[in-house]
PDB file of all heavy atoms in Angstrom:
ATOM      1  N   ALA B 188     -54.525 -10.429  27.331  1.00  0.00           N
ATOM      2  CA  ALA B 188     -55.492 -11.534  27.319  1.00  0.00           C
ATOM      3  C   ALA B 188     -55.326 -12.411  28.560  1.00  0.00           C
ATOM      4  O   ALA B 188     -55.453 -13.632  28.501  1.00  0.00           O
ATOM      5  CB  ALA B 188     -55.323 -12.365  26.044  1.00  0.00           C
ATOM      6  N   GLY B 189     -54.956 -11.771  29.662  1.00  0.00           N
ATOM      7  CA  GLY B 189     -54.781 -12.488  30.917  1.00  0.00           C
ATOM      8  C   GLY B 189     -53.443 -13.187  31.055  1.00  0.00           C
ATOM      9  O   GLY B 189     -53.166 -13.800  32.084  1.00  0.00           O
ATOM     10  N   ILE B 190     -52.617 -13.109  30.022  1.00  0.00           N
ATOM     11  CA  ILE B 190     -51.311 -13.769  30.071  1.00  0.00           C
ATOM     12  C   ILE B 190     -50.282 -12.749  30.566  1.00  0.00           C
ATOM     13  O   ILE B 190     -50.168 -11.646  30.031  1.00  0.00           O
ATOM     14  CB  ILE B 190     -50.893 -14.268  28.671  1.00  0.00           C
ATOM     15  CG1 ILE B 190     -51.923 -15.264  28.139  1.00  0.00           C
ATOM     16  CG2 ILE B 190     -49.495 -14.861  28.692  1.00  0.00           C
ATOM     17  CD1 ILE B 190     -51.770 -15.568  26.667  1.00  0.00           C
ATOM     18  N   GLU B 191     -49.528 -13.140  31.573  1.00  0.00           N
ATOM     19  CA  GLU B 191     -48.521 -12.217  32.109  1.00  0.00           C
ATOM     20  C   GLU B 191     -47.165 -12.537  31.502  1.00  0.00           C
ATOM     21  O   GLU B 191     -46.752 -13.699  31.486  1.00  0.00           O
ATOM     22  CB  GLU B 191     -48.476 -12.361  33.631  1.00  0.00           C
ATOM     23  CG  GLU B 191     -47.885 -11.130  34.287  1.00  0.00           C
ATOM     24  CD  GLU B 191     -47.970 -11.207  35.824  1.00  0.00           C
ATOM     25  OE1 GLU B 191     -49.084 -11.456  36.341  1.00  0.00           O
ATOM     26  OE2 GLU B 191     -46.929 -11.038  36.457  1.00  0.00           O
ATOM     27  N   SER B 192     -46.487 -11.511  31.024  1.00  0.00           N
ATOM     28  CA  SER B 192     -45.193 -11.703  30.353  1.00  0.00           C
ATOM     29  C   SER B 192     -44.126 -10.867  31.051  1.00  0.00           C
ATOM     30  O   SER B 192     -44.422  -9.785  31.557  1.00  0.00           O
ATOM     31  CB  SER B 192     -45.307 -11.282  28.879  1.00  0.00           C
ATOM     32  OG  SER B 192     -44.057 -11.383  28.231  1.00  0.00           O
ATOM     33  N   ILE B 193     -42.877 -11.365  31.078  1.00  0.00           N
ATOM     34  CA  ILE B 193     -41.812 -10.637  31.796  1.00  0.00           C
ATOM     35  C   ILE B 193     -41.468  -9.319  31.106  1.00  0.00           C
ATOM     36  O   ILE B 193     -40.939  -8.403  31.705  1.00  0.00           O
ATOM     37  CB  ILE B 193     -40.529 -11.494  31.940  1.00  0.00           C
ATOM     38  CG1 ILE B 193     -39.986 -11.900  30.560  1.00  0.00           C
ATOM     39  CG2 ILE B 193     -40.769 -12.692  32.846  1.00  0.00           C
ATOM     40  CD1 ILE B 193     -38.544 -12.419  30.611  1.00  0.00           C
ATOM     41  N   ASN B 194     -41.733  -9.244  29.835  1.00  0.00           N
ATOM     42  CA  ASN B 194     -41.599  -7.969  29.112  1.00  0.00           C
ATOM     43  C   ASN B 194     -42.550  -8.016  27.922  1.00  0.00           C
ATOM     44  O   ASN B 194     -43.094  -9.084  27.603  1.00  0.00           O
ATOM     45  CB  ASN B 194     -40.142  -7.701  28.691  1.00  0.00           C
ATOM     46  CG  ASN B 194     -39.595  -8.725  27.711  1.00  0.00           C
ATOM     47  OD1 ASN B 194     -40.266  -9.078  26.744  1.00  0.00           O
ATOM     48  ND2 ASN B 194     -38.382  -9.201  27.950  1.00  0.00           N
ATOM     49  N   PRO B 195     -42.793  -6.867  27.294  1.00  0.00           N
ATOM     50  CA  PRO B 195     -43.823  -6.864  26.237  1.00  0.00           C
ATOM     51  C   PRO B 195     -43.313  -7.355  24.885  1.00  0.00           C
ATOM     52  O   PRO B 195     -44.056  -7.313  23.912  1.00  0.00           O
ATOM     53  CB  PRO B 195     -44.220  -5.388  26.157  1.00  0.00           C
ATOM     54  CG  PRO B 195     -43.009  -4.637  26.595  1.00  0.00           C
ATOM     55  CD  PRO B 195     -42.291  -5.514  27.583  1.00  0.00           C
ATOM     56  N   PHE B 196     -42.045  -7.802  24.853  1.00  0.00           N
ATOM     57  CA  PHE B 196     -41.476  -8.140  23.550  1.00  0.00           C
ATOM     58  C   PHE B 196     -41.541  -9.633  23.244  1.00  0.00           C
ATOM     59  O   PHE B 196     -40.851 -10.440  23.857  1.00  0.00           O
ATOM     60  CB  PHE B 196     -40.014  -7.659  23.492  1.00  0.00           C
ATOM     61  CG  PHE B 196     -39.895  -6.169  23.650  1.00  0.00           C
ATOM     62  CD1 PHE B 196     -39.375  -5.617  24.821  1.00  0.00           C
ATOM     63  CD2 PHE B 196     -40.312  -5.317  22.642  1.00  0.00           C
ATOM     64  CE1 PHE B 196     -39.271  -4.242  24.974  1.00  0.00           C
ATOM     65  CE2 PHE B 196     -40.217  -3.937  22.790  1.00  0.00           C
ATOM     66  CZ  PHE B 196     -39.691  -3.395  23.967  1.00  0.00           C
ATOM     67  N   TRP B 197     -42.381  -9.962  22.276  1.00  0.00           N
ATOM     68  CA  TRP B 197     -42.496 -11.326  21.787  1.00  0.00           C
ATOM     69  C   TRP B 197     -42.031 -11.348  20.333  1.00  0.00           C
ATOM     70  O   TRP B 197     -42.108 -10.335  19.633  1.00  0.00           O
ATOM     71  CB  TRP B 197     -43.957 -11.809  21.820  1.00  0.00           C
ATOM     72  CG  TRP B 197     -44.585 -11.907  23.187  1.00  0.00           C
ATOM     73  CD1 TRP B 197     -43.994 -11.680  24.388  1.00  0.00           C
ATOM     74  CD2 TRP B 197     -45.949 -12.245  23.465  1.00  0.00           C
ATOM     75  NE1 TRP B 197     -44.887 -11.860  25.412  1.00  0.00           N
ATOM     76  CE2 TRP B 197     -46.114 -12.216  24.872  1.00  0.00           C
ATOM     77  CE3 TRP B 197     -47.051 -12.590  22.680  1.00  0.00           C
ATOM     78  CZ2 TRP B 197     -47.322 -12.495  25.496  1.00  0.00           C
ATOM     79  CZ3 TRP B 197     -48.260 -12.878  23.292  1.00  0.00           C
ATOM     80  CH2 TRP B 197     -48.394 -12.832  24.703  1.00  0.00           C
ATOM     81  N   LEU B 198     -41.558 -12.521  19.936  1.00  0.00           N
ATOM     82  CA  LEU B 198     -41.250 -12.679  18.516  1.00  0.00           C
ATOM     83  C   LEU B 198     -42.521 -13.106  17.800  1.00  0.00           C
ATOM     84  O   LEU B 198     -43.254 -13.972  18.290  1.00  0.00           O
ATOM     85  CB  LEU B 198     -40.161 -13.732  18.307  1.00  0.00           C
ATOM     86  CG  LEU B 198     -38.748 -13.322  18.775  1.00  0.00           C
ATOM     87  CD1 LEU B 198     -37.789 -14.492  18.589  1.00  0.00           C
ATOM     88  CD2 LEU B 198     -38.252 -12.098  18.013  1.00  0.00           C
ATOM     89  N   ALA B 199     -42.761 -12.486  16.650  1.00  0.00           N
ATOM     90  CA  ALA B 199     -43.969 -12.787  15.890  1.00  0.00           C
ATOM     91  C   ALA B 199     -43.835 -14.131  15.182  1.00  0.00           C
ATOM     92  O   ALA B 199     -42.724 -14.629  14.951  1.00  0.00           O
ATOM     93  CB  ALA B 199     -44.232 -11.679  14.879  1.00  0.00           C
ATOM     94  N   SER B 200     -44.961 -14.687  14.853  1.00  0.00           N
ATOM     95  CA  SER B 200     -45.012 -15.957  14.136  1.00  0.00           C
ATOM     96  C   SER B 200     -44.389 -15.767  12.751  1.00  0.00           C
ATOM     97  O   SER B 200     -44.928 -15.053  11.910  1.00  0.00           O
ATOM     98  CB  SER B 200     -46.483 -16.362  13.999  1.00  0.00           C
ATOM     99  OG  SER B 200     -46.596 -17.432  13.094  1.00  0.00           O
ATOM    100  N   ALA B 201     -43.235 -16.399  12.534  1.00  0.00           N
ATOM    101  CA  ALA B 201     -42.441 -16.118  11.326  1.00  0.00           C
ATOM    102  C   ALA B 201     -41.211 -17.022  11.347  1.00  0.00           C
ATOM    103  O   ALA B 201     -41.034 -17.810  12.281  1.00  0.00           O
ATOM    104  CB  ALA B 201     -42.018 -14.648  11.331  1.00  0.00           C
ATOM    105  N   PRO B 202     -40.339 -16.912  10.347  1.00  0.00           N
ATOM    106  CA  PRO B 202     -39.148 -17.760  10.310  1.00  0.00           C
ATOM    107  C   PRO B 202     -38.352 -17.811  11.622  1.00  0.00           C
ATOM    108  O   PRO B 202     -37.870 -18.887  11.996  1.00  0.00           O
ATOM    109  CB  PRO B 202     -38.324 -17.155   9.173  1.00  0.00           C
ATOM    110  CG  PRO B 202     -39.354 -16.589   8.252  1.00  0.00           C
ATOM    111  CD  PRO B 202     -40.451 -16.075   9.137  1.00  0.00           C
ATOM    112  N   PRO B 203     -38.189 -16.680  12.379  1.00  0.00           N
ATOM    113  CA  PRO B 203     -37.371 -16.767  13.601  1.00  0.00           C
ATOM    114  C   PRO B 203     -37.962 -17.692  14.670  1.00  0.00           C
ATOM    115  O   PRO B 203     -37.263 -18.042  15.622  1.00  0.00           O
ATOM    116  CB  PRO B 203     -37.320 -15.317  14.109  1.00  0.00           C
ATOM    117  CG  PRO B 203     -37.620 -14.479  12.918  1.00  0.00           C
ATOM    118  CD  PRO B 203     -38.566 -15.283  12.089  1.00  0.00           C
ATOM    119  N   THR B 204     -39.240 -18.063  14.544  1.00  0.00           N
ATOM    120  CA  THR B 204     -39.861 -18.901  15.578  1.00  0.00           C
ATOM    121  C   THR B 204     -40.253 -20.254  15.008  1.00  0.00           C
ATOM    122  O   THR B 204     -41.183 -20.903  15.477  1.00  0.00           O
ATOM    123  CB  THR B 204     -41.116 -18.222  16.158  1.00  0.00           C
ATOM    124  OG1 THR B 204     -42.071 -18.036  15.087  1.00  0.00           O
ATOM    125  CG2 THR B 204     -40.801 -16.872  16.758  1.00  0.00           C
ATOM    126  N   ASP B 205     -39.522 -20.690  13.997  1.00  0.00           N
ATOM    127  CA  ASP B 205     -39.870 -21.909  13.268  1.00  0.00           C
ATOM    128  C   ASP B 205     -39.569 -23.180  14.044  1.00  0.00           C
ATOM    129  O   ASP B 205     -40.179 -24.210  13.821  1.00  0.00           O
ATOM    130  CB  ASP B 205     -39.100 -21.917  11.941  1.00  0.00           C
ATOM    131  CG  ASP B 205     -39.509 -23.061  11.030  1.00  0.00           C
ATOM    132  OD1 ASP B 205     -40.694 -23.433  11.073  1.00  0.00           O
ATOM    133  OD2 ASP B 205     -38.653 -23.574  10.298  1.00  0.00           O
ATOM    134  N   LYS B 206     -38.593 -23.107  14.981  1.00  0.00           N
ATOM    135  CA  LYS B 206     -38.238 -24.360  15.662  1.00  0.00           C
ATOM    136  C   LYS B 206     -37.580 -24.086  17.010  1.00  0.00           C
ATOM    137  O   LYS B 206     -37.208 -22.950  17.319  1.00  0.00           O
ATOM    138  CB  LYS B 206     -37.350 -25.217  14.770  1.00  0.00           C
ATOM    139  CG  LYS B 206     -36.085 -24.555  14.275  1.00  0.00           C
ATOM    140  CD  LYS B 206     -35.415 -25.466  13.241  1.00  0.00           C
ATOM    141  CE  LYS B 206     -34.091 -24.901  12.782  1.00  0.00           C
ATOM    142  NZ  LYS B 206     -34.214 -23.608  12.086  1.00  0.00           N
ATOM    143  N   GLN B 207     -37.442 -25.147  17.769  1.00  0.00           N
ATOM    144  CA  GLN B 207     -36.920 -25.074  19.136  1.00  0.00           C
ATOM    145  C   GLN B 207     -35.591 -24.345  19.220  1.00  0.00           C
ATOM    146  O   GLN B 207     -35.379 -23.508  20.095  1.00  0.00           O
ATOM    147  CB  GLN B 207     -36.759 -26.503  19.683  1.00  0.00           C
ATOM    148  CG  GLN B 207     -36.215 -26.542  21.104  1.00  0.00           C
ATOM    149  CD  GLN B 207     -36.177 -27.969  21.657  1.00  0.00           C
ATOM    150  OE1 GLN B 207     -36.606 -28.910  20.988  1.00  0.00           O
ATOM    151  NE2 GLN B 207     -35.694 -28.117  22.877  1.00  0.00           N
ATOM    152  N   TYR B 208     -34.670 -24.654  18.285  1.00  0.00           N
ATOM    153  CA  TYR B 208     -33.328 -24.074  18.331  1.00  0.00           C
ATOM    154  C   TYR B 208     -33.388 -22.555  18.329  1.00  0.00           C
ATOM    155  O   TYR B 208     -32.810 -21.906  19.201  1.00  0.00           O
ATOM    156  CB  TYR B 208     -32.502 -24.582  17.141  1.00  0.00           C
ATOM    157  CG  TYR B 208     -31.098 -24.029  17.126  1.00  0.00           C
ATOM    158  CD1 TYR B 208     -30.095 -24.607  17.905  1.00  0.00           C
ATOM    159  CD2 TYR B 208     -30.783 -22.908  16.350  1.00  0.00           C
ATOM    160  CE1 TYR B 208     -28.823 -24.085  17.908  1.00  0.00           C
ATOM    161  CE2 TYR B 208     -29.507 -22.383  16.352  1.00  0.00           C
ATOM    162  CZ  TYR B 208     -28.517 -22.976  17.128  1.00  0.00           C
ATOM    163  OH  TYR B 208     -27.253 -22.454  17.133  1.00  0.00           O
ATOM    164  N   ASN B 209     -34.140 -21.995  17.375  1.00  0.00           N
ATOM    165  CA  ASN B 209     -34.225 -20.535  17.276  1.00  0.00           C
ATOM    166  C   ASN B 209     -34.911 -19.949  18.508  1.00  0.00           C
ATOM    167  O   ASN B 209     -34.468 -18.956  19.078  1.00  0.00           O
ATOM    168  CB  ASN B 209     -35.032 -20.113  16.043  1.00  0.00           C
ATOM    169  CG  ASN B 209     -34.469 -20.681  14.769  1.00  0.00           C
ATOM    170  OD1 ASN B 209     -34.553 -21.884  14.535  1.00  0.00           O
ATOM    171  ND2 ASN B 209     -33.875 -19.847  13.956  1.00  0.00           N
ATOM    172  N   VAL B 210     -36.027 -20.581  18.901  1.00  0.00           N
ATOM    173  CA  VAL B 210     -36.820 -20.033  19.994  1.00  0.00           C
ATOM    174  C   VAL B 210     -36.010 -20.014  21.293  1.00  0.00           C
ATOM    175  O   VAL B 210     -36.030 -19.037  22.048  1.00  0.00           O
ATOM    176  CB  VAL B 210     -38.128 -20.843  20.165  1.00  0.00           C
ATOM    177  CG1 VAL B 210     -38.829 -20.467  21.460  1.00  0.00           C
ATOM    178  CG2 VAL B 210     -39.045 -20.609  18.964  1.00  0.00           C
ATOM    179  N   GLU B 211     -35.248 -21.084  21.544  1.00  0.00           N
ATOM    180  CA  GLU B 211     -34.456 -21.100  22.781  1.00  0.00           C
ATOM    181  C   GLU B 211     -33.336 -20.061  22.741  1.00  0.00           C
ATOM    182  O   GLU B 211     -32.990 -19.478  23.772  1.00  0.00           O
ATOM    183  CB  GLU B 211     -33.930 -22.518  23.044  1.00  0.00           C
ATOM    184  CG  GLU B 211     -35.098 -23.468  23.322  1.00  0.00           C
ATOM    185  CD  GLU B 211     -34.707 -24.713  24.085  1.00  0.00           C
ATOM    186  OE1 GLU B 211     -33.640 -25.271  23.779  1.00  0.00           O
ATOM    187  OE2 GLU B 211     -35.472 -25.102  25.000  1.00  0.00           O
ATOM    188  N   ARG B 212     -32.784 -19.838  21.557  1.00  0.00           N
ATOM    189  CA  ARG B 212     -31.787 -18.759  21.430  1.00  0.00           C
ATOM    190  C   ARG B 212     -32.436 -17.413  21.754  1.00  0.00           C
ATOM    191  O   ARG B 212     -31.842 -16.544  22.390  1.00  0.00           O
ATOM    192  CB  ARG B 212     -31.175 -18.728  20.029  1.00  0.00           C
ATOM    193  CG  ARG B 212     -30.184 -19.842  19.762  1.00  0.00           C
ATOM    194  CD  ARG B 212     -29.579 -19.728  18.368  1.00  0.00           C
ATOM    195  NE  ARG B 212     -28.765 -18.533  18.177  1.00  0.00           N
ATOM    196  CZ  ARG B 212     -27.490 -18.462  18.543  1.00  0.00           C
ATOM    197  NH1 ARG B 212     -26.882 -19.492  19.097  1.00  0.00           N
ATOM    198  NH2 ARG B 212     -26.816 -17.343  18.350  1.00  0.00           N
ATOM    199  N   ALA B 213     -33.665 -17.233  21.288  1.00  0.00           N
ATOM    200  CA  ALA B 213     -34.372 -15.968  21.542  1.00  0.00           C
ATOM    201  C   ALA B 213     -34.628 -15.799  23.040  1.00  0.00           C
ATOM    202  O   ALA B 213     -34.421 -14.713  23.593  1.00  0.00           O
ATOM    203  CB  ALA B 213     -35.693 -15.945  20.775  1.00  0.00           C
ATOM    204  N   PHE B 214     -35.058 -16.874  23.690  1.00  0.00           N
ATOM    205  CA  PHE B 214     -35.307 -16.784  25.133  1.00  0.00           C
ATOM    206  C   PHE B 214     -34.012 -16.513  25.892  1.00  0.00           C
ATOM    207  O   PHE B 214     -33.988 -15.722  26.831  1.00  0.00           O
ATOM    208  CB  PHE B 214     -35.984 -18.066  25.634  1.00  0.00           C
ATOM    209  CG  PHE B 214     -37.439 -18.178  25.222  1.00  0.00           C
ATOM    210  CD1 PHE B 214     -38.096 -19.402  25.235  1.00  0.00           C
ATOM    211  CD2 PHE B 214     -38.153 -17.054  24.838  1.00  0.00           C
ATOM    212  CE1 PHE B 214     -39.433 -19.509  24.871  1.00  0.00           C
ATOM    213  CE2 PHE B 214     -39.494 -17.144  24.462  1.00  0.00           C
ATOM    214  CZ  PHE B 214     -40.128 -18.380  24.474  1.00  0.00           C
TER     215      PHE B 214
END
Side-chain angles (χ1 to χ4, degrees):
Chain B
I190 300 167
E191 202 174 308
S192 177
I193 59 165
N194 63 46
F196 299 108
W197 296 357
L198 290 176
S200 168
T204 61
D205 187 33
K206 56 188 184 297
Q207 180 175 357
Y208 180 82
N209 304 70
V210 169
E211 295 202 319
R212 286 182 65 84
F214 287 161

